[in-house]
């Protein structure tokens, strides 16, 4: 066991960034389009095109490219072959924090094998560069005559440029080449840019396999054993086996698919002949032609022809229609396709847009900076990190630009989402860009995860800006580790307070989840396939959002068992029960007259409530009201964050961590697996005992009236008859007073032996004697 790390290392820290949204205004407020991040000043150079460039070869053409230089920072455009009128339309952004010169130099060069030839240049004094203030239109580029090295105008050759100063709010910022990534080649800039991604729109496909008719088995006079296999892409399900040439199933098979529907629905009717499978027919259905339903009302079923392929001559195939299959197929628009854990879901809307309600608010996130990030790679003998952030809420994913070679990156990027339900969670993850090695783009390794943050919107006050530094906590085989901190600014703005309060009275999931529910097993399988679909689609974007990033953000594998998670959940239950246990101990002290004054006051309260029973419920609710008002003084001031003690990550053993990080299925040796299996059996045995005890108590309640023990049931029935008569003729106040005085009686009148009702209940029979 390792020593528990200090709590303050993993605590949430409130920060005071210089942002407009938090009331700290620096500079011109008009330029602060992003009010949840700090202003970053940039010098922008847009190289549009050139014309009439002088050539060096016989044909009079050249291979031109442009080099933009500011101090030690240099950016280049791509070069064109044999072109005198090239067009680049490339933007360069130089951070004002790193300016090392008073002028910017734009040079046009001719690409050569040995030494690139100088064509012409132009310089701008930074003091003369205009400032662009959003929401002004973009600065119009102008033609400039190129100069030689002495500063004289050359005979031919002009370049179209625009040079201005602005902030990260400029629309040229996302697609620009940044001086923060000066070491990255022009071809690799694509892999470090910030982008916005959208998850594919997911649908459930329900296939109701009803029956088949006129199947033709390969062997005549043989009763086929038929099953229907339905597949969508890599996901396939099979019905049960039915016998006969006209078999019936009436089974529902549910799949996940995504728009656009690239993959068809393929149905195979298969006959099991010994150990072989014979395909009796096949049917291909395009999902774009499948009807959509938004409620639980069934759609009409249709008969489909089954294609039967037979070899006629050589390799020629003949298709004939003989058999039919009866199917009811629909795209379910009334469900929400779960691709996240239900504990951390960021979207709960149904698939069909027609069923969406209006939004209740706006979520704004400012990703400001990070500090103390763990070095993920070595460069020039020093540890460094090429960090970027990913934020996911609803179908919208955002990715910041990559800051190359810094363990204290500053992004200062702001993003916005519509909010439809306050009971949702936004997830922010920090990753190391695996495309960059030694400052250059290479084939692309996996993006290493550094840590993530979850923020539940319902824990935020509306229209308040939260500025905190969140610890990035990673659980590794060596134990829990703090991999740095990320500074965020969050604001949840409410557009309709009534609609937000109304959400608290609505079901969490769409109505179809309750009218026609899917089983837990189905949901787990479908969520796994939804994760695969989302990861596959986002990995095809440019730049790709890699599979390991998507899986980490979606908490893939959260259902895998571990000793640590089991302990954490056990202590969570004990923490919830601790309040009831404390009340029980307090009441036991009252009953045993540990504090006579308190016990006498309880007697007085009991007498008042029994004389005036109509005050019981008002007193309870008034008491709860007063507790709530009293505790308002200590309400949480910060959003909740990952707690290593709640997760039981501070005191977990090395072998338990190694087991948690093991693959599924396991790759460990047989001896280690045997030891872990024996430990799991031991833990499961204790859980089995507790569950058995709970089942025993429940069965004893059932046996009161089951007459399994005829004498006990007769006694209980007689007792119920007597109590019915007593309760009818005796006022409730008298019974309540007597019961209260009996419970609160002095210890002198108590016995150490169990009471009569407890003795009777413990003697009731359970079904444990029927277990093997």
């Amino acid at each position: 066991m390792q020593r528990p790390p200090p709590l303050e290392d993993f605590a949430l820290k409130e920060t005071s960034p210089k942002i407009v949204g938090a009331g700290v205004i620096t500079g011109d407020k008009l330029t602060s389009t992003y009010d949840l991040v700090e202003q970053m000043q940039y010098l922008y150079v847009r190289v549009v095109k050139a014309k009439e460039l002088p050539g060096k070869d016989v044909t009079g053409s050249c291979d031109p490219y442009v080099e933009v230089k500011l101090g030690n920072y240099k950016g280049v455009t791509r070069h064109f072959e044999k072109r005198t009128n090239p067009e680049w339309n490339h933007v360069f952004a130089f951070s004002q924090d790193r300016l090392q010169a008073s002028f910017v130099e734009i040079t046009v060069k001719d690409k050569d094998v040995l030494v690139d030839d100088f064509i012409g240049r132009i310089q701008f004094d930074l003091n003369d560069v205009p400032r662009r203030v959003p929401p002004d239109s973009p600065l119009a580029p102008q033609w400039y005559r190129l100069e030689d090295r002495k500063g004289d105008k050359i005979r031919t050759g002009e370049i179209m440029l625009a040079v201005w100063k602005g902030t990260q709010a400029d629309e040229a910022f996302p697609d620009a080449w940044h001086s923060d990534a000066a070491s990255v080649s022009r071809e690799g800039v694509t892999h470090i840019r910030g982008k916005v991604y959208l998850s594919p729109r997911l649908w459930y496909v329900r296939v109701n396999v009803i029956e088949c008719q006129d199947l033709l088995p390969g062997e005549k006079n043989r009763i086929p054993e038929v099953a229907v296999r339905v597949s969508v892409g890599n996901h396939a399900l099979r019905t049960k086996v039915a016998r006969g040439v006209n078999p019936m199933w009436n089974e529902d098979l549910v799949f996940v698919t995504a728009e656009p529907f690239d993959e068809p629905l393929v149905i195979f009717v298969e006959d099991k002949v010994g150990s072989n499978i014979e395909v009796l027919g096949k049917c291909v259905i395009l999902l774009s032609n499948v009807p959509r339903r938004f409620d639980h009302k069934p759609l009409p079923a249709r008969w489909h022809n089954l294609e039967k392929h037979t070899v006629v001559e050589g390799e020629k195939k003949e298709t004939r229609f003989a058999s039919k299959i009866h199917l009811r197929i629909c795209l379910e628009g009334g469900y929400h396709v779960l691709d996240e854990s239900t504990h951390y879901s960021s979207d709960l809307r149904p698939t069909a847009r027609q069923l969406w309600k209006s939004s209740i608010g706006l979520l704004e996130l400012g990703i400001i900076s990070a500090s103390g990030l763990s070095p993920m790679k070595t460069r020039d003998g020093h540890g460094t990190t090429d960090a970027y952030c990913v934020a996911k809420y609803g179908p919208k994913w955002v990715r910041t630009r990559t800051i190359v070679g810094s363990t204290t990156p500053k992004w200062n990027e702001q993003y916005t989402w519509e909010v439809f339900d306050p009971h949702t969670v936004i997830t922010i993850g920090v990753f190391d860009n695996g495309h960059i090695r030694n400052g250059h783009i290479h084939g692309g390794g996996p993006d290493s995860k550094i840590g993530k943050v979850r923020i539940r919107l319902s824990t935020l006050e509306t229209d308040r800006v939260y500025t905190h530094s969140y610890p990035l906590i990673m659980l590794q085989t060596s134990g829990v580790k703090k991999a740095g901190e990320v500074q965020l600014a969050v604001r949840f703005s409410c557009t309709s307070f009534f609609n937000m309060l109304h959400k608290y009275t609505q079901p969490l999931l769409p109505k179809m989840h309750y009218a026609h529910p899917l089983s837990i097993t189905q949901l787990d399988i479908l969520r796994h396939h939804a994760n695969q679909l989302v990861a596959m689609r986002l990995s095809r974007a440019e730049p790709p959002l890699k599979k390991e990033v998507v899986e980490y953000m979606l908490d893939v594998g959260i259902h895998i068992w571990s000793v640590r998670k089991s302990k954490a959940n056990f202590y969570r239950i004990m923490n919830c029960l601790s309040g009831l246990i404390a009340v029980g101990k307090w009441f036991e002290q009252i009953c045993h007259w540990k504090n006579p004054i308190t016990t006498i006051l309880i007697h007085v309260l009991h007498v008042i409530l029994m004389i005036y029973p109509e005050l019981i419920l008002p007193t309870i609710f008034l008491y709860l009201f007063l507790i709530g008002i009293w505790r308002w003084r200590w309400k949480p001031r910060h959003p909740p964050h990952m707690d290593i003690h709640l997760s039981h990550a501070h005191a977990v053993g090395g072998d338990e961590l190694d087991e948690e990080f093991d693959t599924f299925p396991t790759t460990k040796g047989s001896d280690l697996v045997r030891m872990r299996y024996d430990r799991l059996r031991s833990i499961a045995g204790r859980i089995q005992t507790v569950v058995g005890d709970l089942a025993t108590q429940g069965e004893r309640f059932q046996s009161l009236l089951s007459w399994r023990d005829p004498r006990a049931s007769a006694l209980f029935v007689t007792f119920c008859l007597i109590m019915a008569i007593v309760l009818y003729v005796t006022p409730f106040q008298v019974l309540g007073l007597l019961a209260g005085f009996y419970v609160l009686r002095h210890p002198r009148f108590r016995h150490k032996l169990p009471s009569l009702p407890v003795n009777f209940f413990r003697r009731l029979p359970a079904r444990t004697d029927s277990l093997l």
Side-chain angles (χ1 to χ4, degrees), residues 389-402:
C389 279
V390 174
K392 198 266 184 195
Y393 184 78
K396 179 179 173 181
W397 300 65
V398 299
R399 170 179 175 161
T400 67
R401 70 192 189 283
T402 300

Side-chain angles (χ1 to χ4, degrees), residues 83-134:
R83 192 83 62 87
T84 58
N85 298 310
E87 185 171 342
W88 295 282
N89 198 24
H90 198 84
V91 181
F92 299 87
F94 296 89
S95 175
Q96 291 271 28
D97 297 337
R98 300 185 180 182
L99 294 186
Q100 301 171 338
S102 59
F103 61 90
V104 58
E105 180 179 320
I106 298 101
T107 307
V108 182
K109 293 186 176 183
D110 183 8
K111 189 75 173 177
D112 201 351
V113 177
L114 298 177
V115 179
D116 296 342
D117 295 324
F118 174 87
I119 296 178
R121 71 179 180 184
I122 189 167
Q123 292 182 348
F124 291 91
D125 191 330
L126 297 186
N127 294 324
D128 298 332
V129 174
R131 178 178 297 277
R132 185 190 166 214
V133 180

Side-chain angles (χ1 to χ4, degrees), residues 93-220:
F94 296 89
S95 175
Q96 291 271 28
D97 297 337
R98 300 185 180 182
L99 294 186
Q100 301 171 338
S102 59
F103 61 90
V104 58
E105 180 179 320
I106 298 101
T107 307
V108 182
K109 293 186 176 183
D110 183 8
K111 189 75 173 177
D112 201 351
V113 177
L114 298 177
V115 179
D116 296 342
D117 295 324
F118 174 87
I119 296 178
R121 71 179 180 184
I122 189 167
Q123 292 182 348
F124 291 91
D125 191 330
L126 297 186
N127 294 324
D128 298 332
V129 174
R131 178 178 297 277
R132 185 190 166 214
V133 180
D136 287 353
S137 299
L139 192 67
Q142 300 180 34
W143 285 105
Y144 295 90
R145 178 64 62 87
L146 294 174
E147 302 173 351
D148 58 17
R149 297 183 188 275
K150 297 180 180 180
D152 299 329
K153 304 291 183 182
I154 64 176
R155 184 179 304 173
T156 61
E158 292 182 277
I159 186 170
M160 181 179 280
L161 300 171
V163 183
W164 72 96
K165 292 179 181 179
T167 67
Q168 72 268 37
D170 201 294
E171 64 268 12
F173 179 80
D175 294 326
W177 173 94
H178 291 274
S179 57
D180 295 334
S183 60
V184 178
S185 62
R186 181 188 55 79
E187 293 79 8
V189 171
T190 305
H191 295 281
I192 63 173
R193 283 176 176 162
K195 291 293 180 182
V196 176
Y197 306 83
L198 288 178
S199 293
R201 195 174 174 197
L202 301 176
W203 291 78
Y204 284 144
V205 184
R206 187 182 297 272
V207 182
N208 180 223
V209 182
I210 303 174
E211 59 180 329
C212 284
Q213 282 190 358
D214 303 327
L215 295 179
L216 298 176
E219 300 178 10
K220 294 184 178 180

Side-chain angles (χ1 to χ4, degrees), residues 210-476:
I210 303 174
E211 59 180 329
C212 284
Q213 282 190 358
D214 303 327
L215 295 179
L216 298 176
E219 300 178 10
K220 294 184 178 180
N221 302 323
R222 176 184 171 276
I223 300 177
E225 297 180 356
V226 185
V228 176
R229 177 166 59 90
V230 184
S231 65
V232 180
N234 297 326
H235 186 195
L237 294 175
R238 189 188 302 270
T239 65
K240 297 178 181 177
V241 175
R243 294 171 58 84
V245 295
N246 298 311
M248 295 189 66
W249 295 277
N250 197 24
E251 285 188 39
D252 274 356
L253 306 177
V254 184
F255 302 84
V256 178
T257 188
E259 290 184 354
F261 303 120
D262 299 331
E263 297 168 335
L265 189 72
V266 185
I267 294 103
F268 297 93
V269 180
E270 300 175 339
D271 179 19
K272 186 176 181 181
V273 183
S275 59
N276 299 322
I277 298 294
E278 178 186 354
V279 178
L280 302 182
K282 174 185 175 183
C283 179
V284 179
I285 300 171
L286 297 179
L287 289 174
S288 56
N289 300 329
V290 171
R292 307 178 181 188
R293 74 169 184 175
F294 308 137
D295 51 28
H296 62 282
K297 297 178 181 177
L299 296 176
R302 291 182 54 192
W303 287 95
H304 299 267
N305 294 320
L306 291 173
E307 298 180 6
K308 178 73 174 182
H309 294 282
T310 55
V311 179
V312 180
E313 293 181 0
E315 295 183 355
K316 294 181 179 180
K317 291 187 178 180
E318 175 190 33
T319 303
R320 58 179 180 175
F321 300 92
S323 307
K324 291 181 178 293
I325 185 169
H326 199 197
L327 302 171
R328 181 181 287 109
I329 308 174
C330 66
L331 290 167
E332 298 280 12
Y335 290 92
H336 170 69
V337 180
L338 294 168
D339 60 337
E340 305 169 282
S341 169
T342 52
H343 302 295
Y344 316 123
S345 184
S346 64
D347 190 12
L348 300 168
R349 293 172 294 171
T351 300
R353 294 182 181 272
Q354 297 89 327
L355 302 179
W356 290 4
K357 306 295 184 183
S358 58
S359 63
I360 63 168
L362 205 64
L363 174 64
E364 297 167 275
L365 172 69
I367 303 175
I368 300 175
S369 63
S371 61
L373 296 183
S374 297
M376 307 303 292
K377 58 188 70 158
T378 302
R379 189 175 300 150
D380 298 330
H382 302 284
T384 186
T385 301
D386 306 314
Y388 68 91
C389 279
V390 174
K392 198 266 184 195
Y393 184 78
K396 179 179 173 181
W397 300 65
V398 299
R399 170 179 175 161
T400 67
R401 70 192 189 283
T402 300
I403 305 298
V404 179
S406 176
T407 56
T408 57
K410 292 184 178 181
W411 295 286
N412 284 304
E413 298 183 25
Q414 184 170 337
Y415 302 94
T416 305
W417 290 267
E418 276 191 299
V419 177
F420 293 86
D421 196 315
H423 188 74
T424 45
V425 176
I426 181 173
T427 305
I428 303 100
V430 183
F431 301 89
D432 175 70
N433 196 325
H435 271 98
I436 304 175
R437 290 288 184 274
N438 298 321
H440 300 286
I441 297 295
H442 73 122
D447 289 359
S448 304
K449 49 185 179 284
I450 300 176
K452 66 182 171 186
V453 175
R454 298 192 197 98
I455 303 174
R456 187 173 295 277
L457 271 60
S458 60
T459 63
L460 305 178
E461 297 179 13
T462 54
D463 299 317
R464 175 185 168 186
V465 177
Y466 289 84
T467 54
H468 291 88
S469 184
Y470 294 81
L472 297 171
I473 302 173
M474 285 295 296
L475 188 66
Q476 301 175 344

Side-chain angles (χ1 to χ4, degrees), residues 450-749:
I450 300 176
K452 66 182 171 186
V453 175
R454 298 192 197 98
I455 303 174
R456 187 173 295 277
L457 271 60
S458 60
T459 63
L460 305 178
E461 297 179 13
T462 54
D463 299 317
R464 175 185 168 186
V465 177
Y466 289 84
T467 54
H468 291 88
S469 184
Y470 294 81
L472 297 171
I473 302 173
M474 285 295 296
L475 188 66
Q476 301 175 344
T477 52
S478 58
V480 66
K481 175 186 177 184
K482 179 180 174 181
E485 297 181 359
V486 60
Q487 187 178 5
L488 305 174
V490 184
R491 178 170 57 208
F492 173 35
S493 305
C494 178
T495 56
S496 176
F497 191 70
F498 175 79
N499 287 344
M500 184 174 68
L501 295 182
H502 181 64
K503 278 290 180 183
Y504 283 87
T505 66
Q506 299 300 303
L508 189 64
L509 295 170
K511 294 180 181 178
M512 278 293 288
H513 285 269
Y514 307 98
H516 199 174
L518 299 170
S519 67
I520 299 298
T521 304
Q522 272 183 311
L523 288 175
D524 287 341
I525 296 174
L526 293 172
R527 177 173 175 257
H528 172 68
H529 290 284
N531 293 153
Q532 290 181 326
L533 273 174
V534 173
M536 180 187 68
R537 291 291 179 91
L538 294 181
S539 64
R540 288 160 55 183
E542 186 63 35
L545 203 59
K546 293 186 178 180
K547 181 180 179 183
E548 60 269 18
V549 174
V550 176
E551 290 182 346
Y552 182 61
M553 296 291 288
L554 294 178
D555 287 298
V556 174
I558 193 175
H559 61 283
I560 301 297
W561 181 88
S562 76
V563 175
R564 179 189 62 83
K565 294 177 184 177
S566 300
K567 289 180 179 178
N569 288 330
F570 171 76
Y571 286 114
R572 286 173 60 199
I573 294 174
M574 294 304 298
N575 185 51
C576 293
L577 296 177
S578 62
L580 295 176
I581 295 173
V583 171
K585 291 181 178 179
W586 172 77
F587 189 72
E588 184 180 3
Q589 291 178 353
I590 289 175
C591 294
H592 286 80
W593 292 70
K594 299 292 183 182
N595 190 337
I597 297 177
T598 305
T599 305
I600 292 172
L601 291 176
I602 293 297
H603 275 83
V604 174
L605 177 63
H606 175 66
V607 171
I608 294 173
L609 293 179
M610 288 302 101
I611 295 176
Y612 304 101
E614 64 274 8
L615 296 179
I616 295 177
L617 291 179
T619 302
I620 293 174
F621 284 102
L622 179 62
Y623 180 65
L624 294 175
F625 168 77
L626 293 175
I627 291 177
I629 294 299
W630 179 258
R631 290 186 177 180
W632 180 84
R633 299 169 56 190
W634 297 282
K635 69 175 182 178
R637 302 295 178 183
H638 311 300
H641 185 52
M642 296 179 186
D643 190 334
I644 62 169
H645 286 254
L646 181 65
S647 306
H648 208 71
H650 65 293
V652 62
D655 180 66
E656 295 174 356
L657 286 171
D658 183 65
E659 180 182 19
E660 182 169 347
F661 283 92
D662 191 10
T663 57
F664 184 84
T666 183
T667 56
K668 301 296 182 179
S670 57
D671 293 339
L672 185 59
V673 172
R674 183 181 296 110
M675 183 273 291
R676 290 176 177 173
Y677 176 64
D678 291 339
R679 180 176 62 192
L680 179 60
R681 290 177 64 189
S682 174
I683 296 172
R686 281 177 274 175
I687 297 174
Q688 170 184 289
T689 302
V690 173
V691 173
D693 291 341
L694 293 176
T696 298
Q697 309 308 322
E699 289 170 351
R700 283 172 177 168
F701 274 109
Q702 290 180 337
S703 65
L704 286 171
L705 295 173
S706 67
W707 294 90
R708 190 171 182 191
D709 184 340
R711 287 162 295 278
S713 295
L715 288 172
F716 182 70
V717 169
T718 305
F719 171 76
C720 290
L721 177 62
I722 295 172
M723 286 304 298
I725 298 172
V726 171
L727 292 175
Y728 180 76
V729 300
T730 307
F732 172 77
Q733 292 89 334
V734 175
L735 292 174
L737 283 171
L738 294 176
F741 288 147
Y742 175 78
V743 172
L744 297 172
R745 68 191 184 276
H746 197 274
R748 183 181 301 176
F749 305 106

